[in-house]
Coordinates of all heavy atoms in Angstrom, one line a residue:
Y1 N -24.4 -17.3 157.0 CA -24.7 -16.1 157.9 C -26.3 -16.2 158.3 O -26.6 -16.0 159.5 CB -24.4 -14.8 157.3 CG -23.0 -14.4 157.4 CD1 -22.1 -14.5 156.3 CD2 -22.4 -14.0 158.6 CE1 -20.8 -14.2 156.4 CE2 -21.1 -13.6 158.7 CZ -20.3 -13.7 157.6 OH -18.9 -13.4 157.7
S2 N -27.1 -16.5 157.3 CA -28.5 -16.6 157.6 C -28.8 -17.6 158.6 O -29.7 -17.4 159.6 CB -29.3 -16.9 156.3 OG -29.2 -15.8 155.4
I3 N -28.2 -18.8 158.5 CA -28.4 -19.9 159.5 C -27.9 -19.5 160.9 O -28.7 -19.7 161.9 CB -27.7 -21.2 159.0 CG1 -28.4 -21.7 157.7 CG2 -27.7 -22.2 160.1 CD1 -27.6 -22.9 157.1
L4 N -26.7 -18.9 160.9 CA -26.2 -18.5 162.2 C -27.0 -17.5 163.0 O -27.1 -17.5 164.2 CB -24.8 -18.1 162.1 CG -23.7 -19.1 161.6 CD1 -22.4 -18.4 161.3 CD2 -23.6 -20.2 162.7
K5 N -27.7 -16.6 162.2 CA -28.5 -15.5 162.8 C -29.9 -16.0 163.1 O -30.6 -15.2 163.8 CB -28.5 -14.3 161.9 CG -27.2 -13.6 161.8 CD -27.3 -12.3 161.0 CE -27.9 -12.5 159.6 NZ -27.9 -11.3 158.8
N6 N -30.4 -17.1 162.6 CA -31.8 -17.5 162.7 C -32.1 -18.1 164.1 O -31.6 -19.3 164.4 CB -32.1 -18.4 161.6 CG -33.6 -18.7 161.4 OD1 -34.4 -18.4 162.3 ND2 -33.9 -19.2 160.3
P7 N -32.9 -17.6 164.9 CA -33.3 -18.2 166.2 C -34.1 -19.4 166.1 O -34.3 -20.1 167.1 CB -34.1 -17.0 166.9 CG -34.6 -16.2 165.8 CD -33.6 -16.3 164.7
F8 N -34.6 -19.7 164.9 CA -35.3 -21.0 164.6 C -34.6 -22.2 165.1 O -35.1 -23.1 165.7 CB -35.6 -21.1 163.2 CG -36.5 -22.3 162.8 CD1 -37.9 -22.1 162.7 CD2 -36.0 -23.5 162.5 CE1 -38.7 -23.2 162.4 CE2 -36.8 -24.6 162.2 CZ -38.1 -24.4 162.2
Y9 N -33.3 -22.2 164.9 CA -32.4 -23.3 165.3 C -32.4 -23.5 166.8 O -32.0 -24.6 167.3 CB -31.0 -23.2 164.7 CG -31.0 -23.2 163.2 CD1 -31.1 -22.1 162.4 CD2 -31.0 -24.4 162.6 CE1 -31.1 -22.1 161.1 CE2 -31.1 -24.5 161.2 CZ -31.2 -23.4 160.4 OH -31.2 -23.4 159.1
M10 N -32.8 -22.5 167.6 CA -32.9 -22.6 169.1 C -34.3 -22.9 169.5 O -34.6 -22.9 170.7 CB -32.4 -21.3 169.7 CG -31.0 -21.0 169.5 SD -30.4 -19.5 170.3 CE -31.5 -18.2 169.5
G11 N -35.2 -23.2 168.6 CA -36.6 -23.5 168.9 C -37.5 -22.3 169.0 O -38.5 -22.4 169.6
V12 N -37.0 -21.1 168.5 CA -37.8 -19.9 168.6 C -38.2 -19.4 167.2 O -37.4 -19.5 166.2 CB -36.9 -18.8 169.2 CG1 -37.6 -17.5 169.3 CG2 -36.5 -19.2 170.6
R13 N -39.4 -18.9 167.1 CA -39.8 -18.4 165.8 C -39.9 -16.8 165.9 O -40.5 -16.3 166.8 CB -41.3 -18.8 165.5 CG -41.5 -20.3 165.7 CD -41.0 -21.1 164.5 NE -41.3 -22.5 164.7 CZ -42.1 -23.2 164.0 NH1 -42.8 -22.6 163.0 NH2 -42.3 -24.5 164.2
A14 N -39.1 -16.1 165.1 CA -39.1 -14.7 165.1 C -40.0 -14.2 164.0 O -39.8 -14.6 162.8 CB -37.7 -14.2 165.0
W15 N -40.9 -13.2 164.3 CA -41.7 -12.7 163.2 C -42.1 -11.3 163.6 O -42.7 -11.0 164.6 CB -43.0 -13.6 163.1 CG -43.9 -13.1 162.1 CD1 -45.1 -12.4 162.2 CD2 -43.8 -13.3 160.6 NE1 -45.7 -12.2 161.0 CE2 -44.9 -12.6 160.0 CE3 -42.8 -13.8 159.8 CZ2 -45.1 -12.7 158.6 CZ3 -43.0 -13.8 158.5 CH2 -44.1 -13.2 157.9
K16 N -41.7 -10.3 162.7 CA -42.0 -8.9 162.8 C -41.6 -8.4 164.2 O -42.4 -7.8 164.9 CB -43.5 -8.7 162.6 CG -43.8 -8.9 161.1 CD -45.2 -8.5 160.8 CE -45.4 -8.7 159.3 NZ -46.7 -8.2 158.8
G17 N -40.4 -8.7 164.6 CA -39.9 -8.2 165.9 C -40.3 -8.9 167.1 O -40.0 -8.5 168.2
R18 N -41.1 -9.9 167.0 CA -41.5 -10.7 168.2 C -41.0 -12.1 168.1 O -40.8 -12.6 167.0 CB -43.1 -10.7 168.3 CG -43.7 -9.4 168.5 CD -45.2 -9.4 168.6 NE -45.6 -10.2 169.7 CZ -46.9 -10.6 169.9 NH1 -47.8 -10.2 169.0 NH2 -47.2 -11.4 170.9
E19 N -40.9 -12.8 169.2 CA -40.4 -14.2 169.3 C -41.5 -15.1 169.8 O -42.2 -14.7 170.8 CB -39.1 -14.3 170.1 CG -37.9 -13.7 169.4 CD -36.6 -13.9 170.1 OE1 -36.7 -14.4 171.3 OE2 -35.6 -13.7 169.5
Y20 N -41.7 -16.2 169.2 CA -42.7 -17.2 169.6 C -42.0 -18.5 169.9 O -41.1 -18.9 169.1 CB -43.7 -17.4 168.6 CG -44.4 -16.1 168.2 CD1 -43.9 -15.2 167.2 CD2 -45.7 -15.8 168.7 CE1 -44.6 -14.1 166.8 CE2 -46.3 -14.6 168.4 CZ -45.8 -13.8 167.4 OH -46.5 -12.7 167.1
P21 N -42.4 -19.3 170.9 CA -41.8 -20.6 171.0 C -42.3 -21.5 169.9 O -43.4 -21.5 169.6 CB -42.3 -21.1 172.4 CG -43.5 -20.3 172.7 CD -43.3 -19.0 171.9
G22 N -41.4 -22.3 169.3 CA -41.7 -23.2 168.2 C -42.1 -24.6 168.7 O -41.8 -24.9 169.9
N23 N -42.8 -25.3 167.9 CA -43.1 -26.7 168.3 C -42.2 -27.7 167.5 O -42.5 -28.9 167.5 CB -44.6 -27.0 168.2 CG -45.0 -26.9 166.8 OD1 -44.3 -26.8 165.8 ND2 -46.4 -27.0 166.6
H24 N -41.1 -27.2 166.9 CA -40.2 -28.1 166.2 C -39.0 -28.4 167.2 O -38.8 -27.8 168.2 CB -39.7 -27.4 165.0 CG -38.9 -26.1 165.3 ND1 -39.5 -24.9 165.7 CD2 -37.6 -25.8 165.3 CE1 -38.6 -24.0 165.9 NE2 -37.4 -24.5 165.7
E25 N -38.3 -29.4 166.7 CA -37.1 -29.8 167.5 C -36.0 -28.8 167.3 O -35.5 -28.6 166.2 CB -36.6 -31.2 167.0 CG -35.4 -31.7 167.7 CD -34.9 -33.1 167.2 OE1 -35.6 -33.6 166.3 OE2 -33.8 -33.5 167.6
P26 N -35.5 -28.2 168.4 CA -34.4 -27.3 168.3 C -33.1 -28.1 167.9 O -32.9 -29.2 168.3 CB -34.2 -26.7 169.7 CG -35.5 -27.1 170.5 CD -36.0 -28.3 169.8
M27 N -32.3 -27.4 167.2 CA -31.0 -28.0 166.8 C -29.9 -27.7 167.8 O -29.0 -28.5 168.0 CB -30.6 -27.5 165.4 CG -29.4 -28.2 164.8 SD -29.0 -27.6 163.1 CE -30.3 -28.2 162.2
I28 N -30.0 -26.5 168.4 CA -29.0 -26.1 169.4 C -29.8 -25.6 170.6 O -30.9 -25.2 170.5 CB -28.1 -25.1 168.9 CG1 -28.8 -23.8 168.4 CG2 -27.2 -25.6 167.7 CD1 -28.0 -22.6 168.0

C-alpha cells in the first residue's frame, strides 16, 4: 500500500503537503 500511494515512483517528491519534481528515474 505504501508503494502504491507514494508519488516518488512517478518522479515526484512529496514533503509536508507540497510536491517537488525529483531528479531520480521515475518507475511509472
Side-chain angles (χ1 to χ4, degrees):
Y1 279 103
S2 294
I3 290 170
L4 292 173
K5 292 188 303 185
N6 192 342
F8 185 92
Y9 294 95
M10 296 181 296
V12 175
R13 314 280 180 114
W15 181 256
K16 294 190 176 182
R18 294 180 62 193
E19 291 187 347
Y20 303 85
N23 62 11
H24 61 284
E25 178 185 354
M27 187 178 289
I28 59 173

